[in-house]
Amino acid sequence: KTHDNQARASRMQRISESCRISFPHWWLALLFILSSTSALAPRGTVSRRGILGGISLVTLAPPSRAEEDLSPVVEVVATGDAKKLFNEGRALESQGNMAAAQRIYSKVTKISPRFIYGWSNLANTQVAFGDLSNAEDNYSKAIELCKESMAGNEEQFGVRRCSDMYVLRLNRGTVRLNNGMPQEALTDLQQASILRERPDAIILQNLARAKELNGLYSLADKDYNLAISMTANEVSPFWLRSALVKYQLGNRSEGFDILKRVENRFPEAPEVRSAYAVFLAANGDQVGAQRKFLEIPDRQRFRYSDIQYLTKVIIWPSSMIDDVSKLAEAVGDNKRKIE
């Protein structure tokens, strides 16, 4: 098979675990192959602003028979020079040489602009470098091509159709989730969940995060619970987000139980220590809370006095922000200059 989904999923999950600013760059798990906006469909209308603004969206119109006959075929499998280059890019990507792989995939998209996985794999490498806006664009191109492939006439002998739409939606949704587009991310991730047709821990944890960022805390809690039940034997960073949501909902006992397991796995992570301190304070142990909070190195701890860090970077629920701010004030951090 030209594109190995399982290998890509494993590889891009490792990549994604190094891309997140919050909770030492690894709370989020992804699979990777998607794209974003305008420059792919030969027909259709372009909206200049998306839900949050600044995002170009392409809505494809049903092709006429004449257009259908003249339009280049969407390529699910690369051929010719593009195939050779694509395989070379995959080899470089598997070796961790993302810069070289990115150059190769860029060439593939120029040679075969109708090849779905040229765009999605190019986006994979852009995610690895934190270039989320261009990754979102290129994932969208892959999505639109996949839609075109799926909307074609009856499958012809020897002509494959795109069958990876749920992965493409998942990846674009996850990129949007980390690029200030929570509403669009929620739409993508809901579609990924529907297309998957069965519970999937990676989709669920990202879908829960999208619901959380959109203020849908009860729905997020349910998805986090299911994702945790599917990964119960291996504590993951997203468990922290589940604990924070439970705190927001007032279910502090269950939230603290989850957080204890997270703290046991990641005892030195500043975000874990600060959350643990907030739970201790909520349980009436002010001395223990301050002691735990002061375990965080000064420069990292001072960030919890910065409302921009709390609301824009780690994006904690409001009740957690209120209580960690009180804790920072109690230890005098609010009077210090944050470098």
Side-chain angles (χ1 to χ4, degrees), residues 139-170:
Y139 280 139
S140 292
K141 291 172 185 173
I143 285 176
E144 295 302 330
L145 287 170
C146 186
K147 285 181 182 177
E148 224 178 303
S149 170
M150 294 168 67
N153 289 331
E154 297 241 350
E155 188 165 356
Q156 300 174 10
F157 179 76
V159 178
R160 289 176 50 189
R161 285 191 182 182
C162 176
S163 59
D164 292 314
M165 182 61 86
Y166 95 86
V167 181
L168 297 175
R169 286 280 195 174
L170 169 60

Side-chain angles (χ1 to χ4, degrees), residues 55-268:
I55 303 300
S56 299
L57 303 175
V58 177
T59 304
L60 294 177
S64 66
R65 173 60 61 184
E67 284 181 312
E68 199 170 70
D69 291 342
L70 294 173
S71 297
V73 175
V74 173
E75 296 179 54
V76 178
V77 178
T79 58
D81 291 341
K83 179 178 181 180
K84 181 179 178 181
L85 282 171
F86 184 68
N87 289 336
E88 183 181 341
R90 290 177 62 226
L92 290 166
E93 188 180 353
S94 68
Q95 295 163 10
N97 191 345
M98 291 296 172
Q102 186 173 104
R103 289 192 293 270
I104 295 295
Y105 290 141
S106 183
K107 290 180 181 178
V108 171
T109 62
K110 290 178 174 61
I111 295 172
S112 296
R114 304 276 289 170
F115 174 45
I116 297 170
Y117 301 104
W119 295 107
S120 64
N121 279 33
L122 176 59
N124 293 349
T125 62
Q126 289 166 330
V127 169
F129 289 110
D131 185 6
L132 300 187
S133 293
N134 281 324
E136 198 256 350
D137 284 344
N138 289 325
Y139 280 139
S140 292
K141 291 172 185 173
I143 285 176
E144 295 302 330
L145 287 170
C146 186
K147 285 181 182 177
E148 224 178 303
S149 170
M150 294 168 67
N153 289 331
E154 297 241 350
E155 188 165 356
Q156 300 174 10
F157 179 76
V159 178
R160 289 176 50 189
R161 285 191 182 182
C162 176
S163 59
D164 292 314
M165 182 61 86
Y166 95 86
V167 181
L168 297 175
R169 286 280 195 174
L170 169 60
N171 292 341
R172 186 176 68 177
T174 307
V175 166
R176 288 175 164 180
L177 195 59
N178 287 273
N179 202 32
M181 303 171 66
Q183 295 180 48
E184 294 92 334
L186 179 58
T187 298
D188 269 339
L189 293 165
Q190 286 174 327
Q191 286 298 311
S193 183
I194 292 169
L195 291 167
R196 185 59 170 148
E197 297 183 334
R198 63 175 182 269
D200 183 294
I202 293 176
I203 294 176
L204 281 166
Q205 61 190 262
N206 285 285
L207 181 56
R209 177 67 168 150
K211 290 176 179 177
E212 177 191 343
L213 292 185
N214 282 280
L216 306 173
Y217 292 109
S218 294
L219 295 176
D221 186 45
K222 292 178 181 178
D223 285 344
Y224 278 132
N225 287 343
L226 183 53
I228 286 175
S229 73
M230 298 174 71
T231 60
N233 293 327
E234 184 176 354
V235 177
S236 299
F238 81 87
W239 288 33
L240 172 63
R241 302 305 311 190
S242 175
L244 303 188
V245 166
K246 291 185 185 301
Y247 191 95
Q248 178 73 19
L249 292 171
N251 187 2
R252 295 175 181 176
S253 176
E254 189 174 343
F256 201 19
D257 287 341
I258 292 173
L259 183 56
K260 287 174 182 176
R261 293 191 62 184
V262 177
E263 196 267 346
N264 186 60
R265 175 80 187 277
F266 308 110
E268 297 182 2

Side-chain angles (χ1 to χ4, degrees), residues 247 273-275 277-278 293 296 301 303-305 310 314 316-331 333:
Y247 191 95
R273 283 176 167 171
S274 59
V278 170
F293 194 59
I296 304 171
R301 193 181 70 250
R303 294 175 180 173
Y304 292 90
S305 299
L310 295 171
I314 59 175
W316 274 13
S318 58
S319 59
M320 287 292 299
I321 290 175
D322 291 342
D323 290 350
V324 79
S325 297
K326 293 175 185 175
L327 193 54
E329 183 177 359
V331 300
D333 284 351

